[in-house]
Amino acid sequence: MLEYIYRRRSIRKFHADRPVEPEKVTELLRAAMAAPSANNRQGWRFIVVDDRETLDKLAEHYPNADMLFTATLCIVPVADMETFYYQQDLAAATQNLLLAAPELGLGTCWCGMKPERQEWAHEFFEVPEGWWVFALIAVGYPAEEKPANTWYKEENVFRGRWGARREA
Ligand SMILES: Cc1cc2nc3c(=O)[nH]c(=O)nc-3n(C[C@H](O)[C@H](O)[C@H](O)COP(=O)(O)O)c2cc1C
């Protein structure tokens, strides 16, 4: 039943000649905006990048996001820093989008945006003061297959207090 959660994997190779249909882009954004946010502030905006030239520029500038050379779409969530829980809110929205993608036949990779890399992104996307470029999400039709996620570790779970093991 929860297969869609385990099927989500980071995809780093895409079919560069297969753009994501506009209806699917909207579905991804609808999924992102369905996320919970503290006090329902929805302090997010999403920049949709779907032209080859811009995707290539981003891939060149951000080596951690070099899968954008083949991705046909990049969604850039941007956070309103006046919202107290903006990091959590944006993470929830990003994860929603990631989980929706395989249902639409799409692959994704969440690429982190380090604080020292903010300035360049701010200028590039013309983001106003007070907003935080949260991540670059590479999206496209996957050109690699990965097995479902199996990261479950019982040793990461405690019962009642730190360090106490749970009965199986
Ligand atoms: C906050 C965050 C930042 C990440 N940044 C990058 C990144 O910059 N480049 C990248 O290729 N993957 C990035 N990833 C993806 C992780 O490497 C990946 O989720 C992890 O290795 C587990 O693999 P899986 O997503 O296939 O389950 C990031 C994931 C998270 C949650």
Side-chain angles (χ1 to χ4, degrees), residues 8-10 12 64 67 109-112 149 151:
R8 183 222 52 82
R9 295 292 313 276
S10 294
R12 298 187 177 89
N64 62 312
M67 77 293 291
C109 189
W110 176 338
C111 299
N149 181 318
W151 312 149

Side-chain angles (χ1 to χ4, degrees), residues 62 115-124:
Y62 293 109
E116 62 268 27
R117 294 175 168 166
Q118 274 293 309
E119 200 179 322
W120 190 89
H122 256 247
E123 271 186 35
F124 189 76

